[in-house]
């Protein structure tokens, strides 16, 4: 006889935990949302080992009553709704009453909490869903929760986690998004004992961006605002000069919640259209307020997608409003040698713990401390004194365009971006008059002869290669060059149906929903042309047995879905050919992601290959790959030649 067992509640919790707790970042998300729901205005998050061994979230919110603390860890226990009716008028972030129960089921949790009314607090320890300790304890008002050894009792889930560094980068991304979505809350984020960032909670979005992404980004933002029919949006649009190489910096929130939405992404990108070079995406942080009856918020707890009613109208309105805002601005990039360094509010090195925060609010923040000043200085790799109309000047202008902020995960960032020191001492105050493209290559470099004639002199700023060629000094941007070569190679293979795939063993099984499946079937040929090997696996399941070669830094499944999402999106229109090209360029982007540290040997190979291309001078984004300075020009600069 087959016995049908009723599972005990610990087993049920463990299974259900998989719904809410996928990885350390999902734990942090739930805990921070709880702190926000509890009215905290100062929240500290500390993680170690990517959050796998240690997560601590401290807040100065309402705290939990001693008698209630055990209840908080019961499944479907919540103080936020009492019946399904409340769901429609939901304002709090959490409401399912699942998070604490789920987290406690798969880790070792310790919570210390005190309400403002009580004189003492309570300490509660629960491991694997089993209560271990409960005692009265002296504590500040608010809640501290420690989550240790995530998935210690569910080894298969633990195995599924990525390297601590990667998990840590997910948490860092999340913290940045949370900080920007809650500008009134002061956040402090500590990663492996190091302060990552601190925001003051003064409701200034631009300042938060400054603290997270630095002044090169925060100095290039345009305020954006639009109200229409049951919706409003406010925020900051990055000027095209800070366009990014991926979509990670299209940051938007709906009613305070960080959301990914291809509809919104597309509307923003279309608004930027004429300012976006190929493969470039805008930087923006936008807060949407949308009537709750016009969006579907009751999505899966770990998912960030949302459905919006009247999608097409929404899309058009946002696109148009962004277009108009950008148009109203003067977009000529300006590079000044001496620029007033705006006095930013001081970044405090030691920041208050959440419970101290209110008390310290009265104290005056000291002017930018010497220590911070020092850190600031150290983060500048080079002082570049620019000269009016020099070629270097032009090169640097371009580099500023493409510079990535120091993304915590290091992915997608270009190698060692040059930081302009705008405070460099100089008497001149030049502005670029015109950024004209040099006419460099009269005597073509493309000959076999040229290959024998050039000499690699060395590398500058870990990014540029200096090359002597005849009477010229050539400066090659290794990243742009690498990208160009890869792009050409890739497109050639794609056109000639000669893509190389890389076998996945074991194959990855994916499940497509109806719309996705239909879309996949329509484009199965394109996926194949790209190098995907996909087989039916029965029903809505497919087995990915091969993926395009060279997907550096991309996860195979992620890439498949990214292309599919793009295709599913109604906003993608165009001829099948244009869609194919688009897919190919996306794929190319994947192929060149990440840093490219090159040895001299590799550089030589790269230059040789670059020189075989029809147009080696520009990367696919239109940036130059090579600039040149003639002997004549150099001699003029040294006043050996006077004209
Ligand atoms: P939900 O947030 O969906 O209600 P949780 O499991 O996340 O469910 O939390 C359960 C309950 O515990 C919350 O409803 C709230 O009453 C209480 N709680 C959790 N975290 C905090 C906190 N940081 N401060 C005060 N109360 C909290
Ligand atoms: Mg919650």
């Amino acid at each position: 006889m087959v016995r049908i067992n009723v599972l005990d509640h610990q087993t049920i919790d463990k299974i259900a935990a998989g719904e809410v707790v996928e990885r350390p970042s999902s734990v942090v998300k739930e805990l921070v949302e709880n702190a926000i729901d509890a009215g905290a205005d100062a929240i500290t998050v500390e993680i170690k080992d990517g959050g796998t061994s240690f997560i601590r979230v401290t807040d100065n919110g309402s705290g939990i009553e001693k008698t209630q603390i055990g209840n908080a860890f019961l499944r479907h226990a919540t103080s936020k709704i009492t019946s399904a009716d409340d769901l429609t008028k939901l304002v709090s972030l959490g409401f399912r009453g699942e998070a604490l129960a789920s987290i406690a089921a798969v880790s070792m949790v310790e919570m210390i909490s005190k309400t403002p009314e009580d004189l003492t607090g309570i300490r509660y320890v629960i491991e694997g869903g089993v209560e271990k300790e409960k005692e009265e304890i002296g504590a500040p008002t608010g809640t501290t929760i420690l989550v240790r050894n995530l998935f210690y009792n569910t080894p298969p889930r633990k195995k599924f986690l990525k390297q601590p560094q990667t998990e840590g980068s997910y948490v860092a991304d999340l913290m940045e998004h949370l900080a920007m979505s809650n500008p009134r809350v002061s956040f402090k984020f500590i990663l492996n004992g190091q302060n990552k960032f601190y925001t003051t909670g003064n409701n200034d979005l631009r300042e938060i961006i400054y603290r997270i992404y630095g002044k090169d980004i925060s100095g290039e933002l345009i305020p954006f605002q639009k109200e229409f029919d049951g919706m409003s949006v406010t925020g900051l649009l990055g000027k095209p000069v800070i366009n990014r190489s991926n979509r990670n910096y299209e940051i938007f929130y709906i009613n305070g919640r960080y959301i990914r939405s291809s509809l919104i992404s597309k509307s923003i990108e279309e608004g930027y259209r004429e300012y976006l070079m190929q493969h470039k995406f805008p930087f923006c942080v936008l807060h949407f307020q949308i009537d709750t009856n016009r969006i579907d918020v009751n999505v899966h707890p770990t998912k960030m997608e949302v459905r919006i009613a009247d999608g097409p109208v929404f899309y058009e309105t946002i696109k148009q409003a962004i277009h108009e805002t950008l148009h109203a601005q003067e977009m000529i990039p300006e590079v000044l040698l001496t620029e007033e360094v705006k006095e930013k509010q001081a970044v405090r090195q030691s920041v208050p713990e959440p419970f101290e925060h209110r008390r310290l609010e009265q104290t005056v923040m000291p002017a930018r401390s010497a220590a911070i000043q020092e850190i600031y200085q150290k983060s500048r790799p080079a002082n570049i004194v620019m000269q009016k109309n020099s070629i270097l000047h032009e090169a640097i202008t371009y580099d500023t365009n493409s510079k990535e902020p120091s993304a915590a995960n290091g992915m997608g960032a270009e190698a060692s971006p040059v930081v302009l020191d705008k405070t460099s001492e100089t008497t001149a105050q030049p502005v670029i008059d015109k950024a004209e493209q040099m006419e460099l290559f009269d005597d073509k470099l493309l000959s076999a002869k040229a290959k024998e004639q050039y000499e690699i002199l060395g590398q500058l700023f870990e990014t540029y290669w200096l090359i002597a060629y005849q009477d010229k000094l050539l400066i090659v941007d290794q990243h742009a060059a690498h990208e160009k070569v890869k792009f050409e190679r890739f497109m050639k293979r794609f056109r000639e149906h000669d893509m190389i795939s890389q076998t996945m063993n074991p194959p990855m099984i994916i499940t497509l929903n109806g719309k996705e499946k239909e879309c996949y079937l329509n484009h199965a040929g394109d996926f194949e042309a790209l190098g995907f090997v996909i087989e039916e696996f029965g029903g809505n399941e497919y087995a990915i047995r091969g993926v395009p070669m060279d997907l550096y830094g991309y996860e195979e499944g992620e890439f498949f879905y990214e292309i599919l999402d793009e295709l599913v999106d109604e906003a993608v229109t165009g001829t099948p050919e244009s869609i194919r090209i688009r897919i190919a360029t996306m794929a190319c982007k994947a192929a060149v992601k990440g840093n490219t540290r090159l040895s001299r040997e590799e550089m030589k190979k790269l230059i040789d290959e670059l020189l075989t291309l029809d147009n080696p001078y520009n990367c696919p984004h239109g940036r130059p790959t090579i600039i040149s300075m003639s002997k004549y020009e150099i001699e003029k600069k040294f006043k050996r030649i006077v004209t």
Side-chain angles (χ1 to χ4, degrees):
M1 185 187 71
V2 177
R3 275 178 58 97
I4 298 176
N5 296 310
V6 175
L7 301 175
D8 62 51
H9 90 91
Q10 270 150 301
T11 313
I12 295 170
D13 280 352
K14 259 197 203 172
I15 296 169
E19 285 269 296
V20 185
V21 186
E22 204 184 341
R23 50 180 8 111
S25 63
S26 37
V27 173
V28 174
K29 175 170 182 286
E30 292 294 338
L31 298 181
V32 172
E33 289 188 347
N34 278 350
I36 293 169
D37 283 347
D41 64 6
I43 300 171
T44 294
V45 173
E46 174 168 11
I47 64 163
K48 287 177 186 159
D49 303 317
T52 55
S53 70
F54 179 94
I55 296 171
R56 177 172 63 102
V57 178
T58 302
D59 71 57
N60 64 349
S62 64
I64 302 177
E65 257 249 43
K66 284 185 193 113
T67 56
Q68 298 298 309
I69 199 152
N71 288 349
F73 288 90
L74 294 178
R75 183 157 300 281
H76 304 306
T78 176
S79 56
K80 295 165 196 172
I81 59 170
T82 49
S83 74
D85 283 353
D86 293 348
L87 275 176
T88 50
K89 37 185 190 268
L90 206 65
V91 283
S92 62
L93 296 165
F95 57 85
R96 292 159 184 263
E98 287 181 315
L100 291 185
S102 300
I103 294 165
V106 292
S107 67
M108 300 171 174
V109 173
E110 180 179 349
M111 186 187 254
I112 295 166
S113 194
K114 185 185 98 64
T115 64
E117 297 80 29
D118 281 335
L119 289 175
T120 56
I122 184 102
R123 175 172 170 272
Y124 187 79
V125 179
I126 175 167
E127 294 176 358
V130 181
E131 180 178 317
K132 293 277 159 152
E133 280 175 64
K134 189 158 128 186
E135 57 172 353
E136 246 185 76
I137 189 175
T141 295
T143 304
T144 293
I145 179 161
L146 288 117
V147 176
R148 293 193 177 90
N149 304 327
L150 186 62
F151 299 140
Y152 79 101
N153 55 353
T154 50
R157 298 195 59 88
K158 197 177 169 92
K159 261 204 352 232
F160 164 82
L161 292 178
K162 302 204 174 131
Q163 291 300 315
Q165 204 188 347
T166 309
E167 294 295 343
S169 75
Y170 294 155
V171 177
D173 281 353
L174 169 79
M175 287 307 299
E176 292 170 2
H177 295 154
L178 286 168
M180 287 185 281
S181 74
N182 300 281
R184 285 199 165 82
V185 177
S186 164
F187 282 96
K188 178 175 163 186
F189 176 50
I190 305 163
L191 181 71
N192 295 330
Q194 270 193 317
N195 282 354
K196 277 294 171 193
F197 67 80
Y198 165 65
T199 66
T200 57
N202 69 352
N203 198 25
D204 182 347
L205 185 59
R206 192 187 287 262
E207 191 197 308
I208 297 170
I209 292 173
Y210 165 71
R211 283 160 185 277
I212 295 174
Y213 298 118
K215 73 175 159 76
D216 288 349
I217 298 284
S218 66
E220 302 288 359
L221 302 170
I222 309 164
F224 175 66
Q225 193 164 6
K226 178 79 189 169
E227 258 177 58
F228 58 105
D229 194 22
M231 308 191 193
S232 69
V233 51
T234 60
L236 295 162
L237 299 176
K239 291 184 190 167
V241 66
I242 55 164
N243 284 348
R244 326 305 311 159
S245 303
N246 59 52
R247 285 206 173 83
N248 292 349
Y249 303 91
E250 291 173 6
I251 298 164
F252 37 85
Y253 303 87
I254 297 183
N255 302 343
R257 212 174 250 282
Y258 176 72
I259 296 287
R260 299 305 291 172
S261 151
S262 47
L263 180 80
I264 298 182
S265 274
K266 281 281 140 35
S267 65
I268 295 170
E269 286 162 23
E270 284 301 306
Y272 268 85
R273 192 177 211 30
E274 61 194 271
Y275 301 105
L276 287 178
M277 283 193 280
Q278 219 183 0
H279 301 302
K280 286 287 176 184
F281 301 93
F283 176 100
C284 63
V285 181
L286 300 177
H287 286 276
F288 290 89
Q289 291 296 329
I290 305 181
D291 283 353
T292 46
N293 58 14
R294 307 189 61 170
I295 45 169
D296 187 359
V297 283
N298 196 7
V299 287
H300 189 275
T302 61
K303 294 269 162 61
M304 299 177 293
E305 284 112 38
V306 72
R307 279 184 284 276
I308 304 169
D310 281 340
V313 176
F314 178 91
Y315 173 89
E316 272 306 317
T317 314
I318 295 301
K319 171 183 145 186
Q320 199 52 37
I322 287 181
H323 176 82
E324 281 163 16
T325 306
L326 294 177
H327 247 239
Q329 287 275 327
E330 189 67 80
M331 287 302 181
I332 303 161
E334 221 187 347
V335 181
L336 300 169
L337 283 193
T338 52
E339 191 193 90
E340 221 182 289
V341 177
K342 287 187 196 97
E343 243 337 290
K344 291 284 173 187
Q345 247 200 317
V347 179
R348 289 163 57 92
Q349 252 215 321
S350 74
V351 289
E353 287 302 312
F355 47 83
E356 296 177 297
H357 198 259
R358 288 201 172 109
R359 183 157 49 80
L360 285 176
E361 238 166 31
Q362 311 305 329
T363 53
V364 182
M365 296 253 189
R368 180 190 285 181
S369 72
I372 287 302
Q373 191 90 37
E374 197 186 303
I375 291 171
Y376 217 70
Q377 295 299 345
K378 277 187 189 151
S379 70
R380 298 172 175 185
N383 283 0
I384 301 165
V385 181
M386 291 181 290
Q387 295 190 348
K388 190 174 184 180
N389 291 338
S390 76
I391 296 167
L392 271 175
H393 199 161
E394 188 181 322
I396 291 159
T397 316
Y398 279 105
D399 197 71
T400 340
N401 283 351
S402 70
K403 194 161 59 200
E404 296 283 344
S406 51
N409 61 8
M411 294 232 312
E414 290 187 6
S416 316
V418 173
V419 174
L420 286 182
D421 186 351
K422 292 179 178 165
T423 62
S424 297
E425 255 190 70
T426 168
T427 49
Q429 298 203 3
V431 180
I432 284 194
D433 301 333
K434 51 183 174 4
E436 53 184 347
Q437 187 66 50
M438 303 266 317
E439 281 182 69
L440 302 170
F441 303 101
D442 312 332
D443 43 344
K444 287 280 183 205
L445 269 168
L446 306 181
S447 60
K449 204 174 106 219
K451 279 196 191 179
E452 289 157 22
Q453 283 186 12
Y454 74 79
E455 184 194 348
I456 298 182
L457 302 176
Q459 196 193 28
L460 179 68
F461 309 140
E462 293 184 345
T463 303
Y464 307 100
W465 289 82
L466 305 182
I467 293 156
Y469 173 65
Q470 291 179 350
D471 62 346
K472 290 189 178 71
L473 170 67
L474 304 181
I475 306 173
V476 177
D477 177 329
Q478 66 174 33
H479 181 86
H482 195 206
E483 185 155 5
K484 175 67 176 184
V485 164
K486 290 230 154 205
F487 177 80
E488 291 295 333
R489 234 190 261 158
F490 193 97
M491 287 306 284
K492 183 161 179 280
R493 284 203 210 127
F494 183 65
R495 283 201 200 94
E496 293 171 2
H497 297 279
D498 191 23
M499 290 300 298
I500 304 172
S501 46
Q502 184 178 322
T503 309
M504 278 192 89
N505 200 5
M508 195 177 77
I509 311 300
I510 50 162
T511 311
L512 302 182
N513 67 28
K515 207 169 172 189
E516 289 168 341
K517 182 171 168 177
E518 187 195 327
C519 176
Y520 165 69
L521 292 175
N522 281 338
H523 292 281
D526 294 329
F527 279 102
E528 196 183 324
L530 267 177
F532 280 102
V533 181
I534 300 174
E535 285 172 11
E536 284 185 21
F537 203 66
N540 288 336
E541 298 204 320
Y542 289 83
I544 302 185
R545 295 190 185 279
V547 293
M549 196 75 158
D550 276 0
L551 286 184
Y552 300 135
Y554 240 99
E555 262 182 79
E556 297 77 8
E558 185 189 3
F559 184 56
F560 174 81
Y561 274 113
E562 199 163 297
I563 296 177
L564 193 66
D565 286 350
E566 182 104 346
L567 295 173
V568 165
D569 195 334
E570 312 114 321
V572 173
T573 50
T575 62
E577 183 57 19
S578 72
I579 290 173
R580 289 179 60 225
I581 299 291
R582 182 135 181 206
I583 296 172
T585 54
M586 277 181 73
C588 162
K589 199 180 83 194
V592 297
K593 231 178 180 180
N595 288 345
T596 39
R597 285 254 157 74
L598 299 180
S599 67
R600 187 176 282 256
E601 192 82 327
E602 288 170 313
M603 195 58 208
K604 173 133 180 39
K605 257 199 195 144
L606 183 60
I607 293 170
D608 284 349
E609 190 162 354
L610 188 70
L611 296 184
T612 65
L613 303 178
D614 284 344
N615 172 11
Y617 317 126
N618 292 95
C619 85
H621 308 147
R623 289 204 291 124
T625 52
I626 310 176
I627 58 171
S628 126
M629 207 184 237
S630 66
K631 186 177 171 199
Y632 174 78
E633 183 110 16
I634 293 168
E635 296 199 325
K636 229 169 76 179
K637 288 272 184 289
F638 285 106
K639 306 283 183 223
R640 284 171 173 267
I641 300 175
V642 187
T643 46

